[in-house]
Amino acid sequence: MATTSRRLMARTRRLDPADPRHDRPLLDLLPGGESLSWVREGEGLVGWGCAARLDTSGAARFADADSWWRRLCGHIDVDDAVGLPGCGPVAFASLAFADQPGDSVVVLPEVVVGERDGVRWITTVGDPDSAPTTGSDAAELAREPLRQPGTVSYSDGWLSATGYRQAVAEAVRRMRSSGDELRKIVLAHDLLANTSEPLDERFLLHNLAARYDNCWTFAVDGLVGATPELLLERRGYEVRSRVLAGTAWPHPGRTDDEIAAELLSSEKNRSEHSYAAESLAEALRPFCSELSVPSAPSVLRLRNVLHLATDVEGKLADTPTRSGSPDLPGVPDGSGLLTMVEAVHPTAAVGGTPTADAIPAIAELEGMDRGRYAGPVGWIDGAGNGELGIALRCGQIEQQSTAGGVSGGARSAPGVRGGPGVRGGRVRLFAGGGIVPDSDPDLEVAEAEAKLLPVREALEGVL
């Protein structure tokens, strides 16, 4: 389902240093209600309001989102006085991991505030005939006080930790008996967090950004997280990706340097990582005239875990080998960001190797709908630029019915999730890892537990 076919105007202006929003952290500007965010180390984009929205599903979700965004941009007049990536019309996107049911969403906000390279700007989207606005008055009037979630309790989701251990053991058995035909399956499980008070997305965003400043803190349609993995960034003719696979976590009595050295020397983790980096490069190479893939990974250190990381960089070919629509100004035929994202998703980092065999195994072994967890999430602009990460270290805020169950009805008061009369909220957390033939099920359960910490600590307000 898509909203709006009317003509729109997107106006972008640099914020004056005297404007009180110029120096405030981006996340502090969110007024409440449905938050939109893509922020890392203080820079990025936040948005609110909805000028247009697409809800799509199934195997065609990427093509649907791409064609909808191209058509919509054709109905938007642009007055951009800044001219940086992320200016003009910007949509926030969150696409499902799997084709079925594949429920996905793209939102064009009414207001976006962005910062890049020390430049702070604001974009407003609305009726072309309306008077220009800076969005300040409406935001200030609508801003709700930041609300804490109260007491947090946990319960099993669709796949418990015990069930996850069994799924890992079965995946190991299948790979060992496959004769090297199936080399990696990336499994996950979920955990339900129940809160005594309604949930405010901004509470999670603030806490995640404070603890994981070098991750991309995101929020789109209730999916909130802080991902360390950049699936694909496009800026003009340049593309970039950060591949993560291979994980270790802190242990008492061992320094981070010791753990990092062990991670780099681990045959299991290096093998898992090479599958992921190779799959990304193979899928991206047809779009590029140049592609640089380091011969060895580095170590990315986070608060809760350490990852093997490879940064892949490329330059788009003038005449890409894939077909597409040239509707976006300055975007060569077939090299639109969503087209490329569809080609690279899922990488072996979140799918497996070979991907075509691993994906059906994931659905069978997990027995749950991941939703938009491990799917692409981020933003795209009207010039074809954008950043989409992999939705990891995240939780899906679920609406509560008045009886305490989960409901799909309309949302309630700004800044919270839940129907009238509901006291608490619920978040569905996800975590998992890459399973290879020599994986230890007990260690994989421990790794998933470590990866659940970011959202658990954010909910609980742990410093």
Side-chain angles (χ1 to χ4, degrees), residues 62 95 231-232 287 336-346 376 388:
F62 291 94
L95 297 121
L231 180 60
L232 204 59
F287 296 96
L337 181 57
L338 290 173
T339 300
M340 292 188 286
V341 165
E342 180 180 17
V344 302
H345 173 78
L388 286 112

Side-chain angles (χ1 to χ4, degrees), residues 122-163:
I122 185 168
T123 299
T124 57
V125 178
D127 190 330
D129 298 326
S130 64
T133 175
T134 64
S136 176
D137 294 341
E140 290 297 334
L141 288 173
R143 182 170 288 112
E144 293 274 328
L146 192 65
R147 303 188 187 190
Q148 298 191 7
T151 303
V152 184
S153 60
Y154 298 94
S155 58
D156 288 341
W158 288 11
L159 184 62
S160 67
T162 300

